[in-house]
Amino acid sequence: MESPGPGPVMTVMRTDGDEPPVPVRRRWPRPQRRHILIGLVVIWAVAITAVVLIRGGGDTPAPVTAKPAPSPSASDAPLTVAQIYQTVRPSVVLIRAVGGSSSVNGRQETEVATGTGVIINADGTILTADHVIAGSRSVQVTYVDGTSSPATVATGDPKQDIATLTPAKLPGTLVPAVLGGGVAVGDDVTAIGNPFGLTGTTTNGVVSGLGRVLSRDKNGDIGGLIQFDAAVNPGNSGGPLINERGQVVGIVVALTNPTGSDTFIGIGFAVPIGSALGAGRGSGQPAPPL
């Protein structure tokens, strides 16, 4: 359609061999031209409104928080640290254990220990370090979704420094961790825990030794430990040590510092998951339920 004059011109299509078309001038009636003009104005207004909305002229919607989803099996391929965190974080809990009282500057203060635990099966059983809950009067666990529940100590083995908890209430979405898998010196490992109460902290390193022995003043030595260099600090105790396939290969129980300080300088220890699951056997203690 061409517009050489004030009105539209209709061009009739021709086949090959026909004579050139003769332009025929045709004017729209005045009422129709008025309707067309009004329609064009409406279309222009709608287009301007759409541009304003696309450019963010309205309120920004609140971000949608993804809920944790169960991961039924370990990955067949190595995962990144971020993927390991996303996979195992829903299984990790914060533990607060209220114990006795102590005198501080002449005042009696209640002792509260914080640590980490990991959900190991579908009934919500939590695996942790025994020293986190030892001597406690009450235990509370907090899940990744922010909900909390009281918990009772189901099993405890001070010799292996392993205990299990039974929570009174489960989270809305229960995600047990995948357990198992061995490690070798040099393998990548990731730790997730709550150091100094900083919930959901993750660190990464390598296995730096196997079969280590940890000497303790009470309850004797612990042997067969995994030595690693992923940073852990007070509050990480009881948390999972995870391989690159997202499997929990150990439970963090200690760090070493020759200065006597409880801060990390490069060496941490974990009970291998096989030993943790077998804790209590042969001593009259039941094994952790699976």
Side-chain angles (χ1 to χ4, degrees):
M1 180 182 292
E2 300 175 357
S3 301
V9 175
M10 303 296 293
T11 301
V12 178
M13 298 294 295
R14 65 186 179 93
T15 59
D16 287 342
D18 292 339
E19 292 296 324
V22 178
V24 178
R25 185 176 302 277
R26 180 178 174 185
R27 288 182 175 274
W28 296 103
R30 188 177 301 276
Q32 292 185 8
R33 281 187 288 172
R34 184 182 303 111
H35 293 323
I36 292 172
L37 180 60
I38 293 174
L40 290 175
V41 171
V42 171
I43 293 172
W44 176 82
V46 171
I48 292 298
T49 303
V51 170
V52 171
L53 291 176
I54 292 173
R55 292 183 177 180
D59 293 334
T60 302
V64 177
T65 303
K67 294 184 178 180
S71 178
S73 61
S75 171
D76 292 331
L79 302 175
T80 66
V81 176
Q83 290 171 330
I84 292 170
Y85 181 82
Q86 292 169 358
T87 300
V88 184
R89 175 68 181 101
S91 307
V92 179
V93 301
L94 169 68
I95 297 175
R96 297 182 77 252
V98 179
S101 61
S102 59
S103 178
V104 179
N105 296 326
R107 294 179 301 177
Q108 292 295 315
E109 295 189 358
T110 301
E111 296 177 352
V112 178
T114 60
T116 304
V118 57
I119 301 170
I120 60 171
N121 66 13
D123 68 0
T125 297
I126 296 168
L127 192 61
T128 188
D130 184 76
H131 72 263
V132 172
I133 50 84
S136 61
R137 299 198 314 266
S138 64
V139 177
Q140 185 179 55
V141 298
T142 301
Y143 301 107
V144 67
D145 63 5
T147 61
S148 297
S149 171
T152 56
V153 179
T155 65
D157 184 355
K159 290 185 178 181
Q160 282 291 327
D161 200 7
I162 292 295
T164 59
L165 304 175
T166 301
K169 182 176 66 174
L170 300 180
T173 302
L174 183 68
V175 187
V178 178
L179 310 180
V183 289
V185 174
D187 284 354
D188 288 336
V189 285
T190 298
I192 301 177
N194 307 297
F196 306 112
L198 301 173
T199 58
T201 297
T202 187
T203 55
N204 180 252
V206 300
V207 174
S208 51
L210 293 172
R212 301 305 195 199
V213 177
L214 177 65
S215 297
R216 300 180 298 175
D217 295 334
K218 298 189 299 182
N219 301 318
D221 298 345
I222 306 179
L225 299 178
I226 301 170
Q227 177 186 318
F228 60 91
D229 67 0
V232 289
N233 282 287
N236 275 105
S237 291
L241 188 69
I242 310 153
N243 66 11
E244 61 181 5
R245 295 182 59 203
Q247 297 171 312
V248 176
V249 296
I251 298 297
V252 177
V253 294
L255 57 85
T256 185
N257 189 328
T259 67
S261 174
D262 290 335
T263 54
F264 183 74
I265 61 169
I267 296 178
F269 298 103
V271 175
I273 192 63
S275 299
L277 296 177
R281 291 179 180 174
S283 62
Q285 289 278 353
L290 286 177

